[in-house]
Amino acid sequence: MTEALMQSIHNVIDHVIAHRRALHQIPELGLALPETSAYVEKSLWELGLRPERLAGCGIAVTLGQGEKTLLLRADMDALQVPEPKTLPFCSRNGNMHACGHDLHTAILLGTAQVLKQHEAQLPCRVKLAFQPGEEVGTGAETMIKDGLLEHPHVDAAAALHVNPDMEPGTCSYCPGVATSAIYDIYIKVWGKGGHSSKPEETVNALAAANGIYNTLGGLIQREVGGFDTGIFALCSMHAGSQQNPNIIPEYCEMAGTLRCFDPELGEYLIKRIREIVEGEAAVFHAKGEVETLLTPSLRVDPHLAKIMAPSLVEILGEDHVTRADMPFSGSEDFSYIAEKVPSFFCWIGAGKPGSPMLHNPDVMFDERALETGVKIMVNFPFAWAAQMFK
């Protein structure tokens, strides 16, 4: 990286921190991010860029020149998690950026500012994508359907994610399968409601759901061999009303997730979940139904990793860049982009080992990660183009 680029990055970091703190106060959910998108859009216009809306609240903007285009992506949405009032810039609306997407968005805004200042030196076109809906697993796919990877055509893509369990100034990547696939699982159980004094005249949906819950609890132990990996958890169950404790509920719903790296194993386990839900419900004379939403595994292109990894070493030093031996058990909907074009993904340190993890209300992100992230993202187009156009 040139001294001019390094100086420009140093000069914008205060702006990046300000972006992060402003965004942290307005966390929004899913695909509906009106305040967040308006903030990002306004910030890009102020840089002299011409952003366009995709899929409602998604934003894309292109700069540079040439025939080849590299996409740099940041996710913008937050979580329905209450934030402890420990920061002077804490959330104002009951949601929380507990996954660090406020940092990702701020990093890409800083990247936009630096690249715009050095646009004449860019060796390729760079398309910046600010994406909603990562946490619900549909944002990237929705933007793709609305033309994200065209006009101009995208040839490769890169993204990063902060990790509060890693020290600032460190980075990790995993060529090949980098994250698990995740199936969001929604279970519905119908029975026949009635008065608790006449249980024989009812079909207790809660009792049937409890039977389903207990049977599914042993799914991984019974169905997954020791050399395979599967993680299954039911995380919510709702039935009845505390205001009416004498009414047997006719309906119960549960939700959870299944994670695995092998798609064949995933499809087999989903088949077994359906069979168990339907069969266990029938034992109670109830009806059970399963709906699923799949976010596929993220695959880091090995050839692109060979191009991008040296740029990480250039920025952070060889001792601070790790090639992971095992994929991350979490999921990431950047996988939809990676299914379409060669893609690279990495984790950057934003805390210290043993810190509260992502999605925890007590998670704290070290803002030194912002400068690391801007350096990495700014350098990606130069590293990629240097190999593409040799």
Side-chain angles (χ1 to χ4, degrees):
M1 181 179 290
T2 66
E3 289 186 12
L5 281 172
M6 290 292 287
Q7 185 60 50
S8 293
I9 292 169
H10 176 75
N11 292 341
V12 306
I13 291 305
D14 286 345
H15 294 282
V16 177
I17 293 171
H19 286 318
R20 185 262 165 150
R21 295 182 179 184
L23 292 163
H24 192 83
Q25 296 177 68
I26 55 170
E28 296 174 294
L29 307 178
L31 298 172
L33 315 179
E35 282 192 83
T36 304
S37 296
Y39 181 96
V40 170
E41 201 168 39
K42 180 175 181 291
S43 299
L44 293 171
W45 278 107
E46 288 173 350
L47 296 177
L49 296 168
R50 300 178 64 84
E52 62 173 323
R53 287 292 185 110
L54 294 175
C57 287
I59 297 170
V61 64
T62 303
L63 62 166
Q65 54 278 315
E67 296 182 0
K68 299 292 184 180
T69 303
L70 176 69
L71 175 75
L72 300 178
R73 171 270 203 175
D75 36 14
M76 302 188 291
D77 56 323
L79 292 157
Q80 196 170 12
V81 173
E83 180 174 12
K85 305 298 183 182
T86 55
L87 294 172
F89 51 89
C90 66
S91 169
R92 300 196 302 253
N93 62 14
N95 303 320
M96 182 182 176
H97 271 295
C99 205
H101 294 181
D102 53 333
L103 282 84
H104 301 169
T105 304
I107 286 168
L108 200 58
L109 285 173
T111 301
Q113 188 171 354
V114 174
L115 293 182
K116 180 59 178 174
Q117 292 171 4
H118 296 268
E119 187 170 17
Q121 288 77 51
L122 273 174
C124 61
R125 285 181 296 190
V126 180
K127 193 169 192 177
L128 308 177
F130 297 84
Q131 178 207 307
E134 193 283 325
E135 295 295 350
V136 296
T138 58
E141 185 179 31
T142 302
M143 287 190 73
I144 291 169
K145 289 178 179 178
D146 204 21
L148 174 64
L149 301 181
E150 301 300 333
H151 314 297
H153 173 75
V154 170
D155 299 285
L160 55 75
H161 202 299
V162 291
N163 186 345
D165 195 41
M166 293 168 52
E167 296 278 354
T170 64
C171 184
S172 176
Y173 69 99
C174 182
V177 176
T179 71
S180 72
I182 180 171
Y183 296 83
D184 292 332
I185 298 171
Y186 304 94
I187 299 171
K188 299 177 181 179
V189 181
W190 290 272
K192 180 183 178 183
H195 200 282
S196 61
S197 66
K198 294 280 188 175
E200 73 279 7
E201 297 179 0
T202 70
V203 175
N204 192 329
L206 181 58
N210 186 58
I212 292 168
Y213 181 93
N214 288 332
T215 303
L216 287 178
L219 176 73
I220 300 301
Q221 182 181 7
R222 294 191 307 269
E223 306 279 357
V224 179
F227 295 100
D228 295 316
T229 301
I231 302 172
F232 176 69
L234 284 171
C235 302
S236 72
M237 180 186 288
H238 299 280
S241 167
Q242 287 188 326
Q243 284 72 43
N244 297 289
N246 63 340
I247 297 178
I248 290 175
E250 66 177 350
Y251 177 73
C252 182
E253 58 186 9
M254 295 183 283
T257 58
L258 170 69
R259 302 172 188 270
C260 55
F261 303 112
D262 181 346
E264 291 186 6
L265 176 62
E267 290 302 314
Y268 170 76
L269 290 174
I270 290 296
K271 174 176 174 289
R272 291 294 293 130
I273 289 170
R274 293 187 192 281
E275 292 171 349
I276 290 168
V277 167
E278 293 170 4
E280 195 69 32
V283 169
F284 291 83
H285 301 294
K287 178 185 176 183
E289 182 180 285
V290 179
E291 296 179 359
T292 63
L293 174 65
L294 170 65
T295 300
S297 292
L298 166 59
R299 185 180 185 277
V300 170
D301 183 80
H303 177 69
L304 189 58
K306 290 180 180 179
I307 294 174
M308 297 304 208
S311 74
L312 303 177
V313 173
E314 178 187 352
I315 297 298
L316 303 176
E318 190 170 359
D319 293 341
H320 295 93
V321 178
T322 304
R323 174 175 170 155
D325 296 324
M326 293 291 292
F328 176 60
S329 59
S331 61
E332 167 58 72
D333 89 335
F334 185 62
S335 58
Y336 285 104
I337 294 171
E339 284 186 330
K340 302 292 185 182
V341 298
S343 296
F344 182 76
F345 186 85
C346 64
W347 294 87
I348 63 170
K352 59 182 179 181
S355 298
M357 283 300 291
L358 301 172
H359 293 209
N360 187 317
D362 294 321
V363 67
M364 294 289 286
F365 297 101
D366 191 320
E367 289 185 331
R368 287 179 291 175
L370 295 169
E371 184 168 2
T372 300
V374 175
K375 287 179 179 178
I376 287 171
M377 292 294 250
V378 165
N379 204 35
F380 274 159
F382 295 93
W384 178 68
Q387 294 298 316
M388 286 291 294
F389 307 141
K390 281 200 303 187

